[in-house]
Amino acid sequence: MLSLSFLLRRLWPLLLLLLSSWPVWAQEPATATPTDGPDCPEACACAPGGQANCSGRALPAVPAGLSRRVRALQLDHNRVRALPPGAFVGAGALQRLDLRENGLRWVHPRAFWGLGALQQLDLSANQLETLAPGTFASLRVLRALSLADNRLACLEPATLGALPLLRALSLQDNELSALKPGLLAGLPALDALRLRGNPWVCGCALRPLCAWLRRHPRPAPEAETLLCVSPGRLTLSPLTALPDTAFSHCGLPLTPWDLAVVYAVGPVCFLASMAACLALGSVLTACRARRRRAAARRRPRRPLNSSPSPASPANPGSPAATAQV
């Protein structure tokens, strides 16, 4: 039987060899750092700092290959006519986006999804006529938005949503006649609003805009260009010259509490009126039926086996009396 000392003498060199090679085979293999695509789209020219210049390249769509390294994307003077959902997928770190003069006609409500870091967006000099609700709602850190020189005739509050950091909004050279109530309420940081070149109508719908302009005075040259084009007696009247008393004939808009009362009381009143009508109809029907029964009881009844009696001579109108005469 082998002794313990003999085994130790035989196995000791092998243990030393294993211990000497431990740092080599025990260390973890190096893993390659995953990349998120090229630094710049293939169709663009790039500069250090994430600048991607795709201007004037006749591009029909947003170029593929956008990555998180792109911080500024210039797509102006191309042929991007529409922005589909997720048009800028992969460019989650994009901060500035220029889409001027593309002939852009349609923007999907989810076109800008994923651009949570976007701060400046220029959509000017395009052919936009409408924008769907929620188009800019995901751009929570947006600070400057230009929609100038388009064909917008209406801009819904839900289109912009709540943009708490937006400071500059350009709506000049469109076809706006008024701004919807609540549009500016979701922009608490707004202090630069470009409005010239629109056919403003000095009606009740312009009251919120005039109130905002009084709270945010414009420089003199810019304020003089904000004019109404109708109605007749107010034609070419400066918007900033319209006091709140000019809208005294306008009804105040309903507050959320008023709307809640209307929606709550309206159905109740409708059901109550229906119940009252049914009850009144039932009462009238019961009264008529009672009158018919009472009239039927007062009417004399003829015996079942009685025969008509001969005419009495006292009745001069009877045939027997006539024959006797």
Side-chain angles (χ1 to χ4, degrees):
M1 183 174 181
L2 298 176
S3 64
L4 180 60
S5 59
F6 177 80
L7 290 176
L8 289 176
R9 284 196 302 270
R10 293 292 185 182
L11 295 178
W12 183 249
L14 181 60
L15 290 176
L16 290 177
L17 179 63
L18 291 175
L19 291 176
S20 63
S21 62
W22 172 269
V24 177
W25 60 263
Q27 62 184 1
E28 296 181 357
T31 57
T33 302
T35 60
D36 53 354
D39 292 341
C40 180
E42 183 179 353
C44 306
C46 292
Q51 308 290 325
N53 188 349
C54 312
S55 301
R57 298 174 183 265
L59 298 176
V62 177
L66 295 174
S67 71
R68 293 188 62 86
R69 296 188 180 95
V70 177
R71 297 292 188 272
L73 179 60
Q74 293 178 263
L75 273 174
D76 55 291
H77 297 84
N78 282 289
R79 300 175 183 174
V80 182
R81 303 291 190 259
L83 293 178
F88 303 92
V89 63
L94 192 63
Q95 297 178 2
R96 298 189 302 277
L97 176 58
D98 188 350
L99 283 163
R100 291 173 297 151
E101 297 193 36
N102 271 277
L104 189 63
R105 297 175 179 269
W106 177 74
V107 178
H108 193 274
R110 295 192 295 274
F112 301 114
W113 278 26
L115 301 183
L118 193 65
Q119 299 180 17
Q120 299 178 17
L121 175 59
D122 193 344
L123 294 171
S124 61
N126 282 293
Q127 300 178 23
L128 296 171
E129 297 183 0
T130 59
L131 288 168
T135 300
F136 307 109
S138 61
L139 308 179
R140 301 289 296 176
V141 299
L142 194 66
R143 286 170 168 79
L145 172 63
S146 178
L147 297 171
D149 197 12
N150 277 281
R151 302 176 181 177
L152 297 171
C154 180
L155 194 60
E156 296 290 339
T159 301
L160 297 180
L163 300 177
L165 302 181
L166 189 70
R167 299 184 61 86
L169 175 62
S170 181
L171 300 175
Q172 63 193 38
D173 298 320
N174 276 282
E175 300 178 9
L176 298 168
S177 59
L179 293 184
K180 293 283 187 178
L183 178 69
L184 301 177
L187 312 175
L190 187 66
D191 57 13
L193 181 60
R194 304 288 182 264
L195 299 168
R196 63 176 176 80
N198 284 282
W200 302 110
V201 176
C202 291
C204 295
L206 209 61
R207 185 176 192 170
L209 176 57
C210 291
W212 189 91
L213 290 174
R214 286 193 299 272
R215 294 193 302 268
H216 302 79
R218 305 286 90 192
E222 182 181 343
E224 292 173 357
T225 62
L226 301 179
L227 304 175
C228 297
V229 298
S230 62
R233 68 182 183 87
L234 293 175
T235 300
L236 301 181
S237 297
L239 269 63
T240 53
L242 295 175
D244 194 59
T245 55
F247 303 96
S248 58
H249 63 285
C250 302
L252 293 176
L254 293 177
T255 63
W257 171 254
D258 297 331
L259 293 174
V261 171
V262 169
Y263 289 138
V265 175
V268 175
C269 293
F270 174 75
L271 294 176
S273 61
M274 291 292 294
C277 291
L278 291 175
L280 182 59
S282 301
V283 171
L284 292 176
T285 303
C287 291
R288 290 179 179 176
R290 185 176 180 181
R291 272 194 233 124
R292 290 195 190 99
R293 288 195 297 269
R297 284 196 297 269
R298 289 195 300 269
R299 186 181 300 118
R301 296 184 179 180
R302 180 180 298 176
L304 295 178
N305 297 327
S306 62
S307 59
S309 58
S312 174
N315 187 1
S318 64
T322 304
Q324 290 178 0
V325 174

